[in-house]
């Protein structure tokens, strides 16, 4: 349904050439998602996090409008109740329930990481089968054999989640179904079958949450209503798999209409997403990995210093000849040669173009000292300055390189910073 909505948005985008097609597709996808899950705010934020990155909040407004209109349409058709029957239950937050929530968050993080790894491995194995129909057939056959054990692994899992919340499963059934559903999802997604991970993640999370809570009961821990941990597990595994924790929190809250679940869902979702992030697992949605990579590159750039990109620079002493400057410039392929004294203090630069012009006009000879053509008012930067300050320094000049000094007082020559190295570093997040 979400894919059909996105397709419809893409077709509608042809009628509005003044709007970006990606924005229209995102609006349609958010509307389709919210009509399925009755969660307009979570749907809008999910698309914003996945498609644009959470920094693009100014693009969130049309997504919210599209999602809200979709839910209003569903309401007008009579679908107004909570998707999962947990709205009347009250989650009691105490030490034991808090510890159980933390445990579910951490275990869900590892479960999400394991699921992502298993799917990647499954795709590699199925990729050896070149024929797509054969690959899909093998995946369907494998899932079919698993379904001989339990048919509850089939479908999107909505009815099974409702049965879990109603308490229809004992601990052994929960654990068995958890293993089977994980394997079935791995085989299905690995074989390139259309279905995705969204609702399977919810089912796996519900199974995991209630199973851990029931283990707590077996250990005589006062965890309260074990069925409420289904919602906590749903949010945690969804956050781990999608790496969109804000969406996961809001999605489960909107699907259950239970505000008492807010705090445990927040804790579990953040912990699960942190575990997956620390394990450096690739995201279910590759574009999320791109957002993370760009964010990390931007953080590194903002916290780097100029001295981390210094390269050696050609330097002469003031009494050396302009002929030597020309030779050094030709060898190093540099337009400017830096001039330093015996203590390494920066004095200025000589321009190869100025030397050539003055030699041709016979103002100097090749044996003249470089001090006779030295520019002692040349721009420079300092090694402890930030990359952003280095960027701003290059913005004020048309040079490819700038000399780097240790500090404004000693002015000892350390090397050079190139504009190319700055641009290459900035390309990682631009």
């Amino acid at each position: 349904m979400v894919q059909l909505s996105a397709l419809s948005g893409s077709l509608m985008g042809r009628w509005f050439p003044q709007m970006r097609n990606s924005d229209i597709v995102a609006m349609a996808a958010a509307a389709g998602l919210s009509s399925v899950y009755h969660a307009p705010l979570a749907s809008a934020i999910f698309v914003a996090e996945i498609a644009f990155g959470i920094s693009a909040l100014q693009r969130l407004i049309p997504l919210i409008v599209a999602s809200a209109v979709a839910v209003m349409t569903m309401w007008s058709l009579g679908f107004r109740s909570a998707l999962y029957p947990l709205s009347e239950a009250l989650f009691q937050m105490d030490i034991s329930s808090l510890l159980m929530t933390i445990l579910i968050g951490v275990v869900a993080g590892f479960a999400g990481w394991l699921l992502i790894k298993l799917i990647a491995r499954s795709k590699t194995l199925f990729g050896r089968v070149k024929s797509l129909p054969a690959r899909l057939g093998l995946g369907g056959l494998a899932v079919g054999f698993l379904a001989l054990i339990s048919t509850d692994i089939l479908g999107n899992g909505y009815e099974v989640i409702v049965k879990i919340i109603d308490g229809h499963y004992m601990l052994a059934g929960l654990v068995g179904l958890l293993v089977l559903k994980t394997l079935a999802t791995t085989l299905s997604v690995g074989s390139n079958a259309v279905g995705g991970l969204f609702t399977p993640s919810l089912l796996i999370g519900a199974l995991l949450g209630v199973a851990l809570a029931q283990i707590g009961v077996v250990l005589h821990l006062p965890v309260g209503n074990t069925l409420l941990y289904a919602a906590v597990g749903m949010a945690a595994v969804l956050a781990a798999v999608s790496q969109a924790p804000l969406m996961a929190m809001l999605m489960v809250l909107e699907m259950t209409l239970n505000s008492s679940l807010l705090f445990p869902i927040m804790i579990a979702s953040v912990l699960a997403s942190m575990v997956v992030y620390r394990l450096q697992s690739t995201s279910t949605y590759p574009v999320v990995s791109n957002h993370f990579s760009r964010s990390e590159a931007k953080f590194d750039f903002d916290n780097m210093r100029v001295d981390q990109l210094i390269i050696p620079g050609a330097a002469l002493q003031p009494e050396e000849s302009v002929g030597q400057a020309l030779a050094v410039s030709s060898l190093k392929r540099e337009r400017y040669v830096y001039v330093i004294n015996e203590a390494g203090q920066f004095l200025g630069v000589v321009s190869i173009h100025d030397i050539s012009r003055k030699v041709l006009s016979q103002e100097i000879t090749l044996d003249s000292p470089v001090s006779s053509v030295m520019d002692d008012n040349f721009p420079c930067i300092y090694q402890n300055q930030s990359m952003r300050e280095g960027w701003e320094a290059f913005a004020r000049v048309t040079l490819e390189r700038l000399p780097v000094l240790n500090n404004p007082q000693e002015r000892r020559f350390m090397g050079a910073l190139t504009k190319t190295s700055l641009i290459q570093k900035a390309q990682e997040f631009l």
Side-chain angles (χ1 to χ4, degrees):
M1 293 177 69
V2 177
Q3 290 175 342
L4 289 175
S5 298
L7 174 61
S8 301
S10 180
L11 295 174
M12 291 171 61
R14 301 178 184 181
W15 303 341
F16 304 95
Q18 68 276 14
M19 295 181 64
R20 283 190 294 189
N21 189 66
S22 60
D23 288 344
I24 298 177
V25 171
M27 290 169 62
L33 196 65
S34 64
S35 65
V36 174
Y37 294 101
H38 300 189
L41 185 57
S43 300
I45 290 181
F46 174 69
V47 176
E49 285 185 297
I50 299 303
F52 305 139
I54 196 61
S55 60
L57 289 178
Q58 68 274 12
R59 304 172 77 176
L60 188 59
I61 295 175
L63 304 182
I64 292 176
V65 173
S67 298
V69 170
V71 168
M72 289 173 62
T73 302
M74 297 298 292
W75 283 4
S76 67
L77 295 174
F79 300 95
R80 302 195 61 159
S81 60
L83 203 59
Y84 297 111
L86 282 175
S87 59
E88 302 299 327
L90 181 64
F91 189 92
Q92 298 289 345
M93 180 58 72
D94 51 33
I95 295 299
S96 58
S97 60
L98 176 61
L99 292 176
M100 180 57 64
T101 296
I102 293 174
L103 177 63
I104 290 174
V106 174
V107 175
F110 282 104
W113 169 78
L114 179 62
L115 181 60
I116 294 172
K117 290 295 184 182
L118 288 174
I119 289 173
R121 180 61 178 165
S122 177
K123 287 183 177 180
T124 301
L125 294 175
F126 276 107
R128 298 175 182 176
V129 181
K130 301 304 179 182
S131 171
L132 178 59
R135 191 159 63 241
L136 293 172
L138 285 175
L141 182 64
V143 173
F145 278 119
L146 293 176
L148 293 177
I149 303 174
S150 174
T151 57
D152 284 345
I153 66 171
L154 302 176
N156 62 14
Y158 168 75
E159 294 83 2
V160 182
I161 293 176
V162 173
K163 289 198 294 184
I164 293 171
I165 294 173
D166 288 339
H168 287 199
Y169 293 93
M170 302 298 289
L171 179 57
L174 291 170
V175 174
L177 191 55
L178 174 62
V179 174
L180 290 174
K181 185 61 179 180
T182 301
L183 291 175
T185 302
T186 299
L187 293 168
S188 177
V189 177
S191 64
N192 284 359
V194 176
L197 272 173
F198 210 94
T199 309
S201 298
L202 294 175
L203 176 54
I204 291 171
L207 291 165
L208 180 66
V210 177
L212 289 175
Q214 289 196 7
I215 291 174
V217 171
V218 172
L219 297 176
H220 303 290
L221 298 177
V223 296
N225 186 351
T226 59
L227 301 179
L228 283 173
Y229 292 98
V232 178
M234 288 162 63
V237 173
L238 182 59
V241 172
S242 66
Q243 293 184 14
L246 182 58
M247 175 278 302
M249 300 175 203
L250 293 173
M251 176 67 76
V252 175
L253 281 175
E254 289 186 304
M255 289 191 300
T256 59
L257 297 180
N258 190 333
S259 59
S260 71
L261 292 169
L262 175 59
F263 191 49
I265 284 175
M266 289 173 60
I267 295 173
S269 299
V270 171
L271 284 175
S273 60
M274 285 177 60
V275 168
V276 175
Y277 180 76
R278 289 299 179 184
L279 292 173
Q280 298 296 310
S281 176
T282 56
S283 172
T284 307
Y285 305 94
V287 70
V288 175
S289 298
N290 295 337
H291 294 323
F292 279 139
S293 298
R294 290 175 60 188
S295 178
E296 290 176 352
K298 180 67 165 57
F299 179 83
D300 290 342
F301 186 87
D302 289 339
N303 289 276
M304 284 181 68
R305 299 188 309 175
V306 166
D307 60 1
Q308 294 176 266
L309 291 181
I310 290 179
I311 63 171
L316 296 174
Q317 296 192 1
E319 64 272 11
E320 296 185 80
S321 69
V322 296
Q324 289 176 293
L326 288 173
V328 169
S329 172
S330 176
L331 180 64
K332 299 290 187 179
R333 296 184 178 181
E334 295 183 14
R335 177 182 169 189
Y336 293 95
V337 177
Y338 306 116
V339 182
I340 60 175
N341 59 19
E342 293 181 355
Q345 188 178 29
F346 179 75
L347 302 177
V349 303
V350 289
S351 167
I352 302 307
H353 295 297
D354 287 345
I355 292 176
S356 301
R357 178 175 55 80
K358 291 188 176 184
V359 168
L360 290 175
S361 63
Q362 298 184 347
E363 297 180 39
I364 59 172
T365 66
L366 292 178
D367 295 324
S368 299
V370 293
S371 58
S372 61
V373 291
M374 182 180 69
D375 178 5
D376 58 2
N377 192 30
F378 198 78
C380 63
I381 54 178
Y382 302 100
Q383 64 175 358
N384 289 326
Q385 288 184 295
S386 66
M387 286 296 172
R388 185 170 296 278
E389 290 174 310
W391 187 280
E392 293 170 352
F394 275 110
R396 294 190 292 267
V397 297
T398 58
L399 302 170
E400 167 58 27
R401 300 180 181 217
L402 283 175
V404 180
L405 313 183
N406 64 333
N407 58 58
Q409 293 75 36
E410 297 179 6
R411 294 180 62 82
R412 191 168 69 249
F413 179 70
M414 307 300 296
L417 178 69
T418 67
K419 184 185 295 183
T420 300
S421 64
L422 271 180
I423 292 174
Q424 288 175 343
K425 194 66 182 175
Q427 277 180 335
E428 297 177 5
F429 64 86
L430 290 177

